[in-house]
Amino acid sequence: MVVARKWIQTKAFEGAVSLDNFQLVEEELPALKAGEILIEALYLTVDPYMRVFPKQVDKSPIGQQIAKVVDSKNDKFPIGKIVLAMVGWRDKTVLDPDQDNPYYVTRFTPKKTLVEIPNVGDVPYSLYLGILGMPGLTAYFGFLEKCRPKPGDVVLVSAAAGAVGSVVGQIAKIKGCTVIGSAGNKEKIDWLKSIGFDYVFNYKETAVEDAIKTFAPNGIDCYFDNVGGEYALKVLDALSPYGRMCCCGQISRYNTTEAGPEKDVIHTIMINELSVSGIMVYSYTHAFPNALAEIAQWIKEGKLKPKETVFDGFTKLPDAFLEIFKGTASGKLVVKA
Ligand SMILES: NC(=O)C1=CN([C@@H]2O[C@H](COP(=O)(O)OP(=O)(O)OC[C@H]3O[C@@H](n4cnc5c(N)ncnc54)[C@H](OP(=O)(O)O)[C@@H]3O)[C@@H](O)[C@H]2O)C=CC1
Ligand SMILES: CCCCCC(=O)/C=C/[C@@H]1[C@@H](C/C=C\CCCC(=O)O)[C@@H](O)C[C@H]1O
């Protein structure tokens, strides 16, 4: 008999997430039926959207993991094969590789529970949860398709030291742009400078509108928005005519239910003929293989530098999740099971 551990969410999130939102429980797994496999987590991801994903109370929070097949009654998935699976915060799982994703929401998640890992060469498995996974692809499509950068454009990225923002900034450099990033501590600022950002500021010390006056006196051409709220409205006001803004996330608002700052944003969008677009990365599923090949090539050439903060141990999942909102660590947060 195999016993799995899984985290469940004990109560609805309200305000800041705390450790008592989660409980670790054990579960006896059923014997494998024909066609099924048993997988064991190697790395699990924590991402900001887990804070706002609907209907998870009494369930294991949504999440992908890189896992190894450890028992199999399916010839296509032999023992030892590595897969990417959306099974939530669990260390062991029995599944049919062809089953639909129990967390599926149209456009927002993969349709199937299990996804083959892309064949992009010999890279650490954890990267499939970051730069070669959902966050990296979000950066790639959000920036290239929605911001439509041109060489010489001035690009601003918020939460620039994070999983998405750090990739956006580096792709912007590859595309010949001038890149400004914001982050919340000195270690992140120093790291962003070291990977090629032209200007970096601590948004907790310098208001974004002041940073823009200093670093981009002629305005911002592209804004990649990871934070939303007042920060995003301030940047909207500073976009150059024909500017582009990619609305990727609103992390400054995830822990609050209070109404956001009000303003007649529509007038600003009209008068400057701005393009403001959202991004949902799974809308580009058809184009993932080519994008991943290009990202992998940039990594190989040293043009894109992955960074991770790794939490050691399955029991650390809630701590890793809380770290997203503390904001001390940079790069992609992953948990080594
Ligand atoms: N549309 C889509 O398909 C996707 C959207 N996203 C969104 O992209 C954004 C970035 O995601 P990801 O790169 O994974 O996360 P990050 O790795 O950037 O982690 C979160 C970071 O956000 C910053 N942050 C945390 N709380 C706040 C706050 N209250 N106000 C301002 N900044 C805060 C902190 O950095 P610091 O304070 O140092 O800047 C923290 O380190 C999120 O909003 C996420 O929801 C992500 C993936 C897909
Ligand atoms: C609703 C806030 C979403 C914040 C942006 C973000 O991080 C998106 C990430 C998606 C995510 C889907 C997340 C939420 C779907 C909400 C559906 C609903 O019915 O409200 C996940 O699938 C990975 C990213 O594509």
Side-chain angles (χ1 to χ4, degrees), residues 9 12-13 49-57 59-62 102-106 108-109:
Q9 188 182 325
F13 295 131
Y49 77 88
M50 295 170 176
R51 170 66 181 79
V52 284
F53 203 82
K55 298 191 213 95
Q56 295 187 90
V57 176
K59 293 187 187 154
S60 188
I62 185 171
Y103 295 93
Y104 178 63
V105 181
T106 320
F108 297 134
T109 61

Side-chain angles (χ1 to χ4, degrees), residues 48-49 52-54 62 86 105 107-110 134 138 248-250 254 279-282:
Y49 77 88
V52 284
F53 203 82
I62 185 171
M86 188 168 261
V105 181
R107 286 196 306 112
F108 297 134
T109 61
M134 187 278 284
T138 302
C248 176
Q250 295 85 44
Y254 294 171
I279 167 78
M280 276 295 150
V281 70
Y282 290 108

Side-chain angles (χ1 to χ4, degrees), residues 46-50 52 107-108 134-135 138-139 158-166 182-185 188 202-204 224-228 231 247-255 278-282 323-333:
V46 288
D47 298 282
Y49 77 88
M50 295 170 176
V52 284
R107 286 196 306 112
F108 297 134
M134 187 278 284
T138 302
S158 51
V164 176
S166 60
S182 67
N185 68 34
K188 291 181 179 185
N202 184 334
Y203 69 99
K204 294 176 182 168
F224 195 96
D225 181 35
N226 286 313
V227 298
Y231 184 122
C247 302
C248 176
Q250 295 85 44
I251 197 165
S252 71
R253 312 284 311 153
Y254 294 171
N255 282 337
I279 167 78
M280 276 295 150
V281 70
Y282 290 108
E323 171 52 41
I324 292 173
F325 301 98
K326 281 188 201 146
T328 41
S330 48
K332 177 72 187 108
L333 300 177

